[in-house]
Amino acid sequence: MAQESPNTMTRLQTLQSSVTWYHVEFKAEILLDTYSGLLSEQSMILAMNSSFVDPLIQFESQLRIIELSFRKVFSMPSLIRVKAMGKTSEDIEDLENLYQNIFNIFEDTLLILVSKDFYKIQILKEMATWMSEDSFYLQERAMMVITRVLIFASKRVKKYPSIDAPSLGLLAAELSLFCSHNDPEIIQQAMAGMNYVLYIALCQNSNVVKFKYSKLSEEENLKIIRSDVESLAKITQEEKAKIAQSVGQILLPQLLTDFVWTLLKKLSSPNTKLATDAASLLKLTLEFHAQKITRVSKIVDNIYDQLCENSSHMMKGVLLHTISLLTRASPKKVIFQLMEFPVPADETLLLLWQAASMESTVASEVLKTILLILKGKPGEIEDSLGEKRRFSLYASNMMPVAASQALCTFLPVTSYRKVVVKLFPEFLMTLLLQLFYCSQHLKETAQERPLTLSEYNFPQFPETLHYVYKVAVEGPRRSEDSIVTIIFFAELLNNFFKESLPEEFLVLFRNWINDSNPSVGKMSLQKIASMAPVFSEIESVCNLLLPVLDAFLSKEHTVIIQAMLTLRNILGKLDKAIYSTLCIRIAASYSPLMDHVNGDIQCMAIRHFGELLMDMNHYNWMLQHIVLGSLVPLILFLESTEPRIVNACRYTLTICITQLKWSTAYLLKEESYNFESVVLDVCNNLLSSYESVITDLISDTLGFLGSSRTFLKKGAIILVGYLGKSREYLLLKEEIDIMIEAIERLTREEDPLIKVLAEKTHKLFKEMANRMASSTIKQTFRKWVKMFCTKKLRLVYDVANIIALKESDTESTKRDSLLQPHLKIPEEQYRDIDEDIPKKCNVKKFEYFT
C-alpha cells in the first residue's frame, strides 16, 4: 500500500477534528433543548397549580408532563460523558453547570408541587416505577432527587396537624425494592428515602407506635428510624425482616395494604431478581403484620388471576403461601372470597383451598365461616351474612355450592377433622338443606332421591337431635327449610323413639301442620303418617289430630289429601275409646268434602267416611245425625260421570243404610240400580223413621240446583221433589214458596230432560201450595191425619220412561222430517209427556200417591 502524503494526512486530521467538534456542539445543543424544554414545562405545570381546574384532572395533567420531562432528563448521558464533550476547561464548566441546572429545574418543580400539596408525593412513587422499568435511566441521580424531595417534605410535615399522602405505602414498596439493588449508591439513597417516608407516615399514624416514638422530638424520631433502616445495609441480601417490621409498625392499614399490593404485582415481573426480592419482602411483611391488611378479597382475586394466567408461575409457591398467611390473619375474609369464584372449582381454586387449609390454628374459624355460607340458598341474594358486605359478585349466589365442595378439601386435614366433630350437627343439617336446594333446582323431589340416616349409628346423635329441635323451635331462615327440618327431625325420632314421644315434640308437628307454606304442612303430615304407631301412643294424641282435621280446610288440594291419609293411618292404630271421643268431630269434617270440586278429595272423603262408620259400628248412635245429614251428597253423586266417585258413594251409602237398618241396600247393587228407586226408598224410610230431618235435607238439596253439572241438577230436582212431597203437611207456606222459586228457574233450562223434570216438580209444589191455601180447619185436620196415617210415597217422575219416550219421539221426528221436511213437532208435546206416564209405563212394583 502506498504511503499517504503529508498533505493528505493533514486534511484527514482537520476533517476528523471538525466532525468531533460538530458532535460536541450537537450534544451541547441537546442539553440546551432539554433545559429550555424543562423551563417551558415547568411554567405549564406551575400554571396549572394556580388554576381552578379539578384537582384530580390537574394532577393527571401535571403527571403526564412530568413523565415526559423525566424521560428526557434521566436519559441524558452521565456527567462524566458530558464533561468529556468539552475541549477547554471553560467548555467543561459550562456543560457541567447546564447539566446540573437541568436536574435542579426538575427537582425545583417537584419541590414546589409537594410544598403546595402533600398528595403529590405520589409523583415520587411514579418516578420509582419508571426507574424500575428500565435501567437505562440515571437511577442513582433519580433516587437522589426522590430523597431530596422527601427530606423537604419531612421538614414541612410537622407544620400540619394532618396530611393527605395516600401514596406512601406504594412509594415505600418501590423504595424497599431498591434497597436490594446491586449498586451501593442506589441502596444508600433508597435507604435514606425509606427513612423519610416512614417518618412522614409516622406523622400520619402517631397512635400506632407510641411505645417507641411518642414524647420524642423530630430529631430523635428521625434518628431512631434512620437507625432501624440503615442497619439494613448490613443484612439486605440475607434478611429483610427489619424493613417488614418497621413498615408494618408505622404504616396505617390502608398504606400497608398498598405496600403489600405493590409487592404482589411485582411477583409477575420478568425481572427474576426483582420478583424474588418482592417475594421475600412480601412473605416477611405478612408474617408480621397480615392482620392489618384491609383489601384481602382484592389480593385473593389477584393471586387467583395470576395463577390462572400462568399455571407454572415461578412464584407459585409464594402466591399460595400468601393465601395461607392471609387465612391465618383474616380467615373469614379469605374464605368468603374463595367461595365467590365460579363453581365447580377449577384446579387453581383447589390449590387456593389447599393453601388456606394449611393454617391449622384457624381451623375453627374457617369451618364456622363455611358453615355460615352453607346456611345460604343457592341462587338467592342476601343483603348480608352477619356483616355489611357484598354477598356475591354474580347475579345468583352460588357460594353455598362452592362451600359444599370446599369441605371435601378441608375435612381430610387432621386439624379440621377434630374441629368438625364439635360442629357436626350444624354441618349435617346445612348439608341436608343444600341437598334439598339442589334437588329442587334439578326438578327432583325428596321422594325421588330419598336420604335417611337409619343405617348410620353416629356418636353425635343426641347432640344432633338437640340441635335440630332447637332449629325447629326457633324457626328456620326460610319457610321451605322446614321441609328438610321435618324430614330430618322425623328420621331422628324414628331412630331414637320406638314407643312414645315427649309432648314438646308433638307441639312442633302441630305448628308445622299449620304453616303458611303448604309444602311444609304436607311434609309434616307425611311424617306423622309414617310415625303413626308412635304418635298413636301419645296420651295427648287428640291435640295432634285436631290440627290434622283443620288441614281439611286447606286451599291446597294435596294438603287435604295428605291430611286424610294421615288421619286414617293414626285412626287405624288408635285406641277405640279415644277414637270415640273424636268420631263426631272427624265425621263432621268429612261432610264438606263429599261434594268437593276435586275428584280425588271427594272420592277419598266419601270412602273414609264409610270406613269411619265401620270403625265406630259400636258407637253408631253417636254418628246417626251426621249420617242422615250426609245422605244428600251420597245420593246425588250416585249419578256422577266418574266411576270411582259412584263406587265410593255406593260403598259408603250401603254402610249408612245398613247402620240405619233400612232395606235399601239391594237397590244400590249394579244389577238392580235405579236412581229414582233409591231416592223413593230413602224418602219412604225417612218418612217413617226420621221425618224431622227432612226439612234440613231439602235445604241441602236446593243448594245443588245451581250446579253447572247436569247430573247434579237432574238428581237434585228428583230428590227435592220427593223430599218436599214427604214433608208437605209440615212445611210452611214460605218454605214451599222458596222451593217453587228455586225450581222455577230450572224450567227455563235448555236441556229437555231437566226442563221436563223441573216442570213436573214445579207443578207438584204448586199443588202443595194450593192445598195450603184452604181453610185452617181443613189444614189442621189433614196434618193430624197424616201424622197418624202415614202413607208411603209413590213414583212421581219415572225418569227412565221419560228418556225412552224422548228417544222414541226423536227417532219418529227424524223419520217425519225426512218425509215431510216442512212439518215440525210442537214443543208442547214434550211438556205433556208426563200426562201419559201412568198409562205407558209399567210401575206395578211401586206404590202410588193416594
Side-chain angles (χ1 to χ4, degrees):
M1 184 176 179
Q3 187 175 5
E4 294 181 353
S5 65
N7 291 336
T8 304
M9 288 293 296
T10 303
R11 288 197 298 269
L12 287 173
Q13 290 173 355
T14 303
L15 177 62
Q16 185 177 7
S17 176
S18 63
V19 169
T20 303
W21 178 242
Y22 175 79
H23 181 68
V24 171
E25 288 184 338
F26 175 74
K27 288 289 185 179
E29 187 175 342
I30 292 176
L31 294 179
L32 287 172
D33 289 343
T34 301
Y35 180 79
S36 61
L38 274 181
L39 290 175
S40 175
E41 289 163 359
Q42 184 187 58
S43 300
M44 288 190 290
I45 291 171
L46 298 182
M48 291 180 192
N49 227 31
S50 304
S51 68
F52 295 98
V53 179
D54 177 85
L56 180 60
I57 297 175
Q58 178 193 105
F59 175 74
E60 290 175 348
S61 300
Q62 290 174 333
L63 185 61
R64 282 194 295 271
I65 298 173
I66 289 173
E67 182 177 3
L68 294 174
S69 300
F70 173 89
R71 298 192 185 282
K72 287 188 294 184
V73 171
F74 294 97
S75 61
M76 292 190 304
S78 65
L79 180 59
I80 295 174
R81 291 180 60 189
V82 169
K83 287 181 178 180
M85 296 176 188
K87 290 186 65 176
T88 65
S89 59
E90 292 181 359
D91 291 341
I92 294 173
E93 185 179 356
D94 290 341
L95 287 171
E96 184 177 0
N97 289 336
L98 177 60
Y99 188 80
Q100 295 294 352
N101 284 336
I102 290 174
F103 287 108
N104 291 340
I105 292 173
F106 184 85
E107 183 179 320
D108 289 344
T109 303
L110 297 181
L111 291 173
I112 294 171
L113 290 176
V114 171
S115 68
K116 299 291 184 180
D117 187 355
F118 273 98
Y119 180 88
K120 293 178 181 177
I121 287 178
Q122 183 173 346
I123 296 171
L124 304 182
K125 175 265 173 188
E126 300 298 336
M127 285 178 61
T129 303
W130 301 329
M131 286 168 57
S132 63
E133 289 174 357
D134 194 340
S135 60
F136 171 76
Y137 296 121
L138 298 173
Q139 292 186 336
E140 180 186 347
R141 198 63 187 255
M143 191 60 71
M144 288 176 61
V145 172
I146 291 174
T147 303
R148 287 173 181 170
V149 174
L150 287 172
I151 292 172
F152 171 78
S154 67
K155 291 179 178 178
R156 290 185 61 84
V157 72
K158 63 181 180 180
K159 298 180 180 179
Y160 301 94
S162 63
I163 60 171
D164 178 24
S167 61
L168 287 179
L170 303 173
L171 179 56
E174 297 288 350
L175 293 178
S176 66
L177 292 174
F178 277 105
C179 289
S180 300
H181 201 276
N182 293 327
D183 187 338
E185 295 296 327
I186 293 178
I187 292 175
Q188 184 179 2
Q189 292 296 328
M191 293 286 188
M194 280 292 292
N195 175 45
Y196 293 105
V197 166
L198 293 178
Y199 176 76
I200 296 170
L202 176 65
C203 295
Q204 280 189 311
N205 190 20
S206 57
N207 295 326
V208 173
V209 283
K210 288 180 179 178
F211 67 93
K212 191 170 185 181
Y213 300 103
S214 59
K215 299 181 181 179
L216 297 177
S217 66
E218 175 189 354
E219 291 75 15
E220 290 172 322
N221 278 331
L222 279 170
K223 185 177 180 181
I224 293 174
I225 296 172
R226 187 178 296 112
S227 173
D228 285 346
V229 178
E230 287 179 351
S231 63
L232 294 171
K234 302 175 183 178
I235 60 171
T236 298
Q237 302 303 324
E238 302 174 1
E239 181 183 1
K240 300 180 179 64
K242 278 282 188 177
I243 289 183
Q245 288 179 338
S246 298
V247 168
Q249 282 181 339
I250 296 175
L251 293 184
L252 290 167
Q254 181 62 42
L255 300 181
L256 182 62
T257 301
D258 291 340
F259 180 86
V260 169
W261 178 252
T262 302
L263 296 177
L264 183 66
K265 291 193 295 183
K266 298 292 184 182
L267 297 182
S268 297
S269 172
N271 185 332
T272 305
K273 183 180 185 307
L274 178 63
T276 303
D277 292 339
S280 176
L281 195 54
L282 175 64
K283 177 183 175 182
L284 289 169
T285 303
L286 292 177
E287 286 279 1
F288 293 119
H289 301 290
Q291 71 279 2
K292 288 182 66 176
I293 305 302
T294 56
R295 296 194 302 276
V296 173
S297 59
K298 183 179 179 182
I299 294 173
V300 174
D301 272 342
N302 181 267
I303 292 174
Y304 177 81
D305 292 339
Q306 287 195 48
L307 291 176
C308 283
E309 292 170 6
N310 184 5
S311 59
S312 58
H313 199 295
M314 66 175 182
M315 293 297 169
K316 184 176 183 178
V318 177
L319 291 171
L320 294 176
H321 188 57
T322 299
I323 292 292
S324 299
L325 293 174
L326 289 174
T327 303
R328 183 176 66 185
S330 307
K332 192 170 185 178
K333 293 178 181 178
V334 173
I335 296 302
F336 263 108
Q337 188 58 33
L338 289 178
M339 299 309 157
E340 286 200 344
F341 292 107
V343 290
D346 55 23
E347 292 184 5
T348 300
L349 185 54
L350 289 174
L351 286 174
L352 299 188
W353 285 352
Q354 290 171 2
S357 69
M358 298 304 291
E359 286 296 329
S360 60
T361 57
V362 292
S364 179
E365 292 179 70
V366 168
L367 286 180
K368 287 179 180 178
T369 303
I370 293 176
L371 183 61
L372 183 64
I373 296 171
L374 281 172
K375 292 179 180 180
K377 180 179 179 181
E380 179 180 77
I381 300 299
E382 298 192 11
D383 294 333
S384 64
L385 273 181
E387 59 178 9
K388 291 185 178 179
R389 69 183 302 280
R390 61 192 175 95
F391 189 73
S392 177
L393 291 172
Y394 308 103
S396 60
N397 165 38
M398 296 304 290
M399 288 174 68
V401 179
S404 302
Q405 187 181 0
L407 281 177
C408 299
T409 299
F410 286 96
L411 293 184
V413 180
T414 303
S415 58
Y416 283 82
R417 283 205 304 270
K418 293 179 180 177
V419 174
V420 81
V421 171
K422 301 177 183 178
L423 301 171
F424 178 84
E426 294 179 71
F427 269 108
L428 185 58
M429 186 69 189
T430 52
L431 288 173
L432 286 173
L433 286 171
Q434 291 304 319
L435 183 63
F436 173 68
Y437 297 145
C438 293
S439 66
Q440 280 188 321
H441 178 69
L442 297 172
K443 306 300 182 184
E444 297 176 356
T445 63
Q447 288 80 2
E448 291 171 338
R449 295 187 63 188
L451 180 66
T452 63
L453 299 170
S454 299
E455 301 175 3
Y456 300 93
N457 185 22
F458 50 90
Q460 297 85 3
F461 181 86
E463 295 89 343
T464 303
L465 178 61
H466 181 270
Y467 174 75
V468 178
Y469 174 73
K470 178 174 175 286
V471 170
V473 171
E474 293 175 353
R477 291 163 60 89
R478 303 166 194 82
S479 180
E480 64 265 34
D481 289 4
S482 294
I483 296 174
V484 177
T485 305
I486 294 168
I487 296 173
F488 191 26
F489 189 56
E491 181 62 32
L492 293 173
L493 295 181
N494 267 334
N495 208 318
F496 195 76
F497 298 96
K498 301 299 182 183
E499 296 180 357
S500 184
L501 290 177
E503 176 68 25
E504 53 267 27
F505 293 162
L506 195 66
V507 174
L508 290 177
F509 283 96
R510 287 169 54 192
N511 293 338
W512 283 327
I513 293 173
N514 297 323
D515 195 276
S516 58
N517 185 341
S519 298
V520 174
K522 180 181 175 183
M523 182 55 67
S524 65
L525 290 166
Q526 286 178 353
K527 290 304 172 182
I528 292 171
S530 68
M531 298 173 64
V534 179
F535 280 111
S536 61
E537 296 298 323
I538 301 176
E539 291 184 7
S540 57
V541 66
C542 297
N543 294 334
L544 178 65
L545 292 180
L546 293 178
V548 174
L549 293 175
D550 290 339
F552 284 15
L553 304 176
S554 173
K555 295 180 181 179
E556 185 67 30
H557 293 169
T558 57
V559 174
I560 299 174
I561 292 173
Q562 186 58 55
M564 288 192 285
L565 292 172
T566 299
L567 181 63
R568 284 307 304 164
N569 273 33
I570 295 179
L571 293 180
K573 299 171 178 61
L574 196 62
D575 179 76
K576 288 294 186 288
I578 299 176
Y579 195 163
S580 64
T581 62
L582 291 171
C583 65
I584 295 176
R585 169 71 188 274
I586 296 171
S589 298
Y590 284 126
S591 296
L593 302 180
M594 290 186 188
D595 61 345
H596 200 279
V597 293
N598 182 279
D600 294 331
I601 293 175
Q602 182 186 17
C603 185
M604 188 177 291
I606 292 172
R607 281 199 172 272
H608 285 192
F609 180 65
E611 291 169 3
L612 171 68
L613 297 179
M614 292 289 287
D615 293 343
M616 292 286 101
N617 58 341
H618 296 299
Y619 300 88
N620 54 23
W621 54 272
M622 298 172 62
L623 298 171
Q624 200 171 79
H625 66 289
I626 297 178
V627 170
L628 292 169
S630 303
L631 289 176
V632 171
L634 290 175
I635 292 172
L636 294 182
F637 281 96
L638 286 171
E639 292 290 282
S640 173
T641 57
E642 295 187 57
R644 57 176 180 162
I645 294 178
V646 172
N647 292 334
C649 287
R650 286 182 178 176
Y651 168 78
T652 299
L653 196 54
T654 300
I655 297 172
C656 293
I657 288 171
T658 301
Q659 293 196 357
L660 291 171
K661 297 181 171 56
W662 293 349
S663 60
T664 314
Y666 76 96
L667 293 174
L668 295 172
K669 294 181 179 179
E670 192 169 350
E671 59 272 14
S672 57
Y673 171 74
N674 178 282
F675 178 74
E676 190 173 358
S677 300
V678 173
V679 172
L680 179 60
D681 195 79
V682 168
C683 288
N684 278 327
N685 280 292
L686 287 171
L687 187 59
S688 62
S689 307
Y690 303 101
E691 189 178 6
S692 60
V693 303
I694 293 178
T695 301
D696 291 336
L697 296 181
I698 290 173
S699 177
D700 292 344
T701 307
L702 290 176
F704 286 95
L705 292 176
S707 173
S708 60
R709 290 180 276 187
T710 302
F711 76 87
L712 282 179
K713 286 183 182 178
K714 183 193 77 171
I717 292 171
I718 295 171
L719 181 57
V720 79
Y722 281 106
L723 289 173
K725 185 62 181 174
S726 66
R727 189 66 172 167
E728 173 185 0
Y729 64 96
L730 290 178
L731 288 173
L732 300 174
K733 177 67 166 59
E734 292 79 4
E735 293 172 336
I736 295 179
D737 289 342
I738 292 173
M739 293 160 63
I740 291 172
E741 182 182 352
I743 289 294
E744 188 174 11
R745 288 195 292 268
L746 297 178
T747 60
R748 297 185 288 273
E749 283 280 330
E750 294 181 2
D751 188 288
L753 179 57
I754 292 178
K755 192 171 186 179
V756 170
L757 294 174
E759 289 174 349
K760 182 75 175 178
T761 306
H762 185 266
K763 180 180 179 182
L764 177 65
F765 290 167
K766 277 289 188 181
E767 291 173 355
M768 291 166 54
N770 290 337
R771 283 192 288 273
M772 293 192 72
S774 58
S775 65
T776 305
I777 297 175
K778 287 183 178 181
Q779 289 184 48
T780 304
F781 177 74
R782 189 181 294 112
K783 288 181 181 181
W784 278 98
V785 171
K786 290 286 186 181
M787 288 178 64
F788 295 101
C789 304
T790 303
K791 294 291 184 74
K792 287 186 177 182
L793 299 177
R794 58 183 182 175
L795 198 66
V796 176
Y797 300 98
D798 196 1
V799 177
N801 193 60
I802 294 176
I803 294 173
L805 285 173
K806 287 187 176 298
E807 290 176 353
S808 176
D809 288 342
T810 302
E811 291 297 323
S812 176
T813 301
K814 288 180 179 178
R815 289 194 298 271
D816 290 345
S817 63
L818 291 173
L819 296 173
Q820 299 178 3
H822 61 283
L823 296 178
K824 293 184 179 180
I825 299 176
E827 188 178 344
E828 289 76 8
Q829 177 177 341
Y830 293 107
R831 298 178 181 174
D832 298 334
I833 287 176
D834 59 298
E835 299 295 334
D836 297 328
I837 289 175
K839 301 176 184 178
K840 296 181 180 179
C841 67
N842 179 15
V843 291
K844 291 181 179 179
K845 61 181 178 180
F846 300 109
E847 295 188 43
Y848 295 86
F849 287 115
T850 55

